Amino acid sequence: MADFGFNEHHQNEVINYMRFARSKRALRLKTIDSCFQDLKDSRLMEETYTVDEVSDMLDGLQVLVRGEVEMELINTAHTNVLLLRQLFSQAEKFYLRLQTDISELENRELLEQVAEFEKTDFKANSKVNQESSKPKLAPLNEGGVSELLQKEISRLQEDNGKLKARLRTLESQAMSALDDKSKAERALKDLQKSQGDQQEITNLEGTVAEMQADFEKTLNANVASQKDLQDCLVSAKHDLLRVQEQLSLAEKELEKKFQQTAAYRNMKEILTKKNEQIKDLRKRLQRYESDE
């Protein structure tokens, strides 16, 4: 299965689907076999039959077998639609647009690879998978470029919010320290006016000096921390812009791939032909009006 580029998880999903399809196919084949067996048991009771009797029996058998085959084909088509519905629903959760190439469904080389896989690797993997539980179809966790970019953008936005909140906290602490300094200075002035005790004034001045030194240390630390936070914020903004640019490039690349598909080219050719037809009709209409 390595030729298809599948990882182990997706390979197991393919194996589970092929096992399901095989069981449905085997059940339908048993039903067809029972149709023939019923004919043998109920109608082939004599040694000789006329042409009309044989024709009647074959017509009845044809109706039964045709009904069984048609029912199986319809059920297979509807089952495939349900499988695509699950895949598309998962893709839409991450704003992805999956595309299918119907022509690849008739690729003989790929069909032969699938048949070879069912004969060889599928048998070996089936023995291993029978011992493990069958997981439900889970949402994509390693989906594509767009999903990874969205996760990275969310992470950067969250970090940006945390840095802004921390910056506001530091600014609040710095303002509180400034208020404490102003209060201490006012208290010192009030004490100098009301008391003449030089020793107490000297002690208070020493306390104020220590508070001022501590404040300067705190302020310097806050300034350095604020600068680091601003640098981190700028770096986060740059990362966010880079990721957004990558997302834009990815979307352009997806759009470019879509324009290279057969469906897009066919639609473009149809529009070109319609425009030419409209121009031709306008010319004819002008000639008709000029003749009148």
Side-chain angles (χ1 to χ4, degrees):
M1 211 62 180
D3 296 337
F4 294 154
F6 288 170
N7 57 32
E8 183 178 357
H9 172 76
H10 290 160
Q11 179 170 323
N12 290 332
E13 294 296 330
V14 171
I15 291 173
N16 291 334
Y17 177 76
M18 293 182 69
R19 185 184 295 113
F20 167 77
R22 173 180 286 187
S23 64
K24 299 293 289 184
R25 184 170 66 246
L27 180 62
R28 192 60 61 186
L29 290 176
K30 288 182 180 179
T31 305
I32 294 175
D33 291 339
S34 66
C35 292
F36 283 88
Q37 189 62 40
D38 291 342
L39 177 65
K40 293 178 182 179
D41 296 338
S42 61
R43 301 294 299 275
L44 300 181
M45 306 298 293
E46 302 178 5
E47 295 182 356
T48 59
Y49 293 92
T50 64
V51 174
D52 292 337
E53 290 174 341
V54 173
S55 177
D56 181 61
M57 287 187 291
L58 292 177
D59 289 341
L61 181 61
Q62 179 184 5
V63 172
L64 293 176
V65 174
R66 177 184 177 87
E68 292 294 334
V69 173
E70 183 179 11
M71 184 182 300
E72 177 61 19
L73 293 174
I74 293 174
N75 184 67
T76 300
H78 293 174
T79 302
N80 290 334
V81 171
L82 293 180
L83 181 63
L84 291 173
R85 176 179 176 273
Q86 295 183 45
L87 297 177
F88 292 158
S89 297
Q90 293 184 33
E92 289 176 0
K93 291 181 180 179
F94 300 99
Y95 306 99
L96 299 177
R97 295 183 178 180
L98 302 184
Q99 294 180 347
T100 58
D101 189 353
I102 303 300
S103 62
E104 288 295 318
L105 300 179
E106 297 181 352
N107 189 319
R108 180 56 55 184
E109 181 179 356
L110 293 178
L111 291 174
E112 292 176 355
Q113 291 181 15
V114 174
E116 184 65 23
F117 169 73
E118 186 176 9
K119 293 178 181 178
T120 56
D121 296 343
F122 178 66
K123 294 180 180 179
N125 288 320
S126 295
K127 296 179 180 179
V128 177
N129 291 331
Q130 288 175 356
E131 299 176 359
S132 61
S133 60
K134 298 179 181 180
K136 295 183 179 180
L137 193 60
L140 298 175
N141 293 325
E142 303 174 343
V145 177
S146 297
E147 178 189 353
L148 296 178
L149 292 176
Q150 291 291 347
K151 287 183 177 180
E152 183 65 16
I153 290 173
S154 299
R155 185 187 67 80
L156 291 174
Q157 289 177 343
E158 183 179 357
D159 292 342
N160 189 15
K162 291 180 180 179
L163 291 174
K164 288 182 177 179
R166 187 178 177 186
L167 179 60
R168 288 193 295 269
T169 301
L170 291 175
E171 289 177 348
S172 177
Q173 292 176 354
M175 293 301 296
S176 178
L178 288 174
D179 291 339
D180 292 339
K181 179 185 177 183
S182 298
K183 291 178 181 179
E185 290 178 347
R186 286 195 299 268
L188 178 59
K189 292 179 180 179
D190 294 339
L191 184 60
Q192 288 175 345
K193 291 179 180 179
S194 62
Q195 296 181 0
D197 191 351
Q198 187 64 35
Q199 183 63 36
E200 187 175 356
I201 293 176
T202 302
N203 294 335
L204 186 57
E205 288 177 348
T207 302
V208 171
E210 292 178 359
M211 291 179 61
Q212 186 173 2
D214 293 338
F215 169 74
E216 290 178 354
K217 290 181 181 179
T218 303
L219 184 60
N220 292 333
N222 288 338
V223 171
S225 178
Q226 183 178 2
K227 186 177 182 302
D228 293 337
L229 288 174
Q230 289 177 346
D231 293 339
C232 292
L233 183 60
V234 172
S235 177
K237 288 182 178 179
H238 290 170
D239 292 339
L240 179 61
L241 292 175
R242 184 174 66 255
V243 170
Q244 289 176 343
E245 182 179 0
Q246 292 176 356
L247 180 59
S248 177
L249 291 176
E251 291 177 350
K252 291 180 180 179
E253 184 65 22
L254 289 174
E255 184 68 19
K256 182 179 180 182
K257 289 182 179 180
F258 169 73
Q259 293 178 358
Q260 294 176 355
T261 59
Y264 178 82
R265 291 195 299 269
N266 293 335
M267 183 61 68
K268 187 175 182 181
E269 291 179 0
I270 292 173
L271 291 175
T272 302
K273 291 180 180 180
K274 291 296 182 181
N275 290 332
E276 293 296 330
Q277 292 177 0
I278 291 172
K279 291 180 180 179
D280 184 59
L281 290 173
R282 287 177 177 174
K283 291 180 180 179
R284 292 181 181 181
L285 182 60
Q286 290 177 355
R287 289 199 300 269
Y288 177 74
E289 291 177 350
S290 60
D291 293 338
E292 290 182 353

